[in-house]
Amino acid sequence: MTVRPIRYLGDPALRKPARKVSRIDDSIRRLIEDMTESMYAAHGVGIAAPQIGVPLRVVVIGLPDEPPFALINPEVTKRSGERRLDEGCLSVPGYRGNITRSVAVAVKALDEHGREIRIRSEDDLLAQALEHEVDHVNGTLYVDHLDSKDDLIKLDAVSARDED
Ligand code: NI
């Protein structure tokens, strides 16, 4: 497993819609391992392949005290409600922003063995991470959801942790 450098805001790799994975093989499973390592090394709770420069629709989510899991070709199948949340991103270090996310989110994807998985989450960090990471494979960053620059907060080095 290899920790790969994270791409930052301004890098075009973050802005291209990623390609669908057509074949789930060992190279995809190695990518998932590298993404997982890179996410933990950067103290994140989620990461998408474009964040390490790989233009594929693969994301990993690793919430505190839970095992990490991968979602391949994830699609949001349902979302409802609105809530205001503070959000961060490994690709936008040192900042958090206050944005609107859904309350409930349903996602369909494949796991690293090609089995279909469906996840539904409501009013929690998982629901937020699902929307955040699916945004990444579509070339969208949370800063795109800011209503105003005033909703972006610069952090000091000590509190800049646990970003997606
Ligand atoms: Ni992010």
Side-chain angles (χ1 to χ4, degrees):
M1 288 195 265
T2 312
V3 173
R4 308 228 210 143
I6 304 280
R7 305 298 183 97
Y8 297 125
L9 183 65
D11 190 316
L14 295 171
R15 292 309 197 171
K16 282 185 211 120
R19 293 195 310 271
K20 254 187 146 170
V21 173
S22 53
R23 198 176 118 90
I24 297 170
D25 57 13
D26 285 346
S27 73
I28 295 296
R29 286 183 280 271
R30 271 196 300 275
L31 169 66
I32 289 167
E33 287 181 359
D34 286 357
M35 287 170 60
T36 305
E37 284 284 288
S38 306
M39 174 184 75
Y40 285 134
H43 305 288
V45 298
I47 193 168
Q51 289 184 277
I52 56 165
V54 176
L56 291 174
R57 303 184 80 80
V58 179
V59 314
V60 170
I61 292 175
L63 302 181
D65 305 316
E66 288 184 32
F69 60 92
L71 299 171
I72 298 166
N73 301 335
E75 284 171 53
V76 174
T77 55
K78 211 171 177 184
R79 55 179 118 216
S80 63
E82 286 190 351
R83 55 182 178 145
R84 294 289 292 182
L85 291 170
D86 278 337
E87 193 155 311
C89 178
L90 295 177
S91 295
V92 192
Y95 288 88
R96 288 186 80 76
N98 190 251
I99 60 164
T100 302
R101 288 282 186 203
S102 306
V103 175
V105 180
V107 166
K108 182 177 86 168
L110 300 174
D111 72 7
E112 68 273 27
H113 305 291
R115 294 181 293 235
E116 188 179 290
I117 36 181
R118 286 173 181 269
I119 301 176
R120 247 195 82 83
S121 208
E122 194 168 325
D123 206 15
D124 58 10
L125 181 58
L126 177 58
Q128 181 178 13
L130 289 168
E131 282 195 312
H132 181 107
E133 300 308 335
V134 173
D135 269 358
H136 268 304
V137 296
N138 290 324
T140 300
L141 299 172
Y142 84 82
V143 292
D144 303 337
H145 299 302
L146 289 166
D147 293 330
S148 111
K149 279 228 157 96
D150 297 338
D151 292 330
L152 192 64
I153 305 134
K154 196 167 178 14
L155 303 172
D156 59 46
V158 177
S159 57
R161 297 177 65 87
D162 295 324
E163 297 167 359
D164 318 315

